[in-house]
Amino acid sequence: KSVNSYREMLRKHLTIHNGKILKSFEFLYKELHIAGYYRGLLYNANSLKEILKSAKEFIEKIES
């Protein structure tokens, strides 16, 4: 699946209840995928731990 498919799913099913979800997704996508994977900009272990914690919380939020 593409990131656009995830965005569309979030817009369609979840932003009705919580408009912050799409913003959270965009933050996590940019931090983990773009900065962390493509550009290799995540150097600080504590920063990475916090971002991963945020990702876990995001997943738990959309699962409930």
Side-chain angles (χ1 to χ4, degrees):
K1 295 184 178 186
S2 71
V3 70
N4 289 330
S5 297
Y6 287 108
R7 285 181 181 124
E8 186 59 34
M9 186 275 307
L10 290 171
R11 271 189 214 103
K12 185 175 180 180
H13 298 288
L14 299 175
T15 55
I16 294 168
H17 304 291
N18 187 347
K20 295 179 184 178
I21 288 191
L22 193 55
K23 288 181 184 180
S24 296
F25 174 79
E26 291 298 330
F27 167 78
L28 291 167
Y29 175 75
K30 289 175 185 173
E31 286 291 320
L32 287 172
H33 190 64
I34 302 300
Y37 179 75
Y38 278 115
R39 297 195 178 124
L41 297 175
L42 295 177
Y43 303 110
N44 186 304
N46 289 329
S47 296
L48 182 57
K49 286 179 186 178
E50 286 299 315
I51 295 167
L52 290 173
K53 180 180 172 187
S54 295
K56 182 180 177 185
E57 290 169 357
F58 175 82
I59 292 167
E60 290 169 351
K61 186 181 288 187
I62 63 171
E63 285 180 334
S64 59

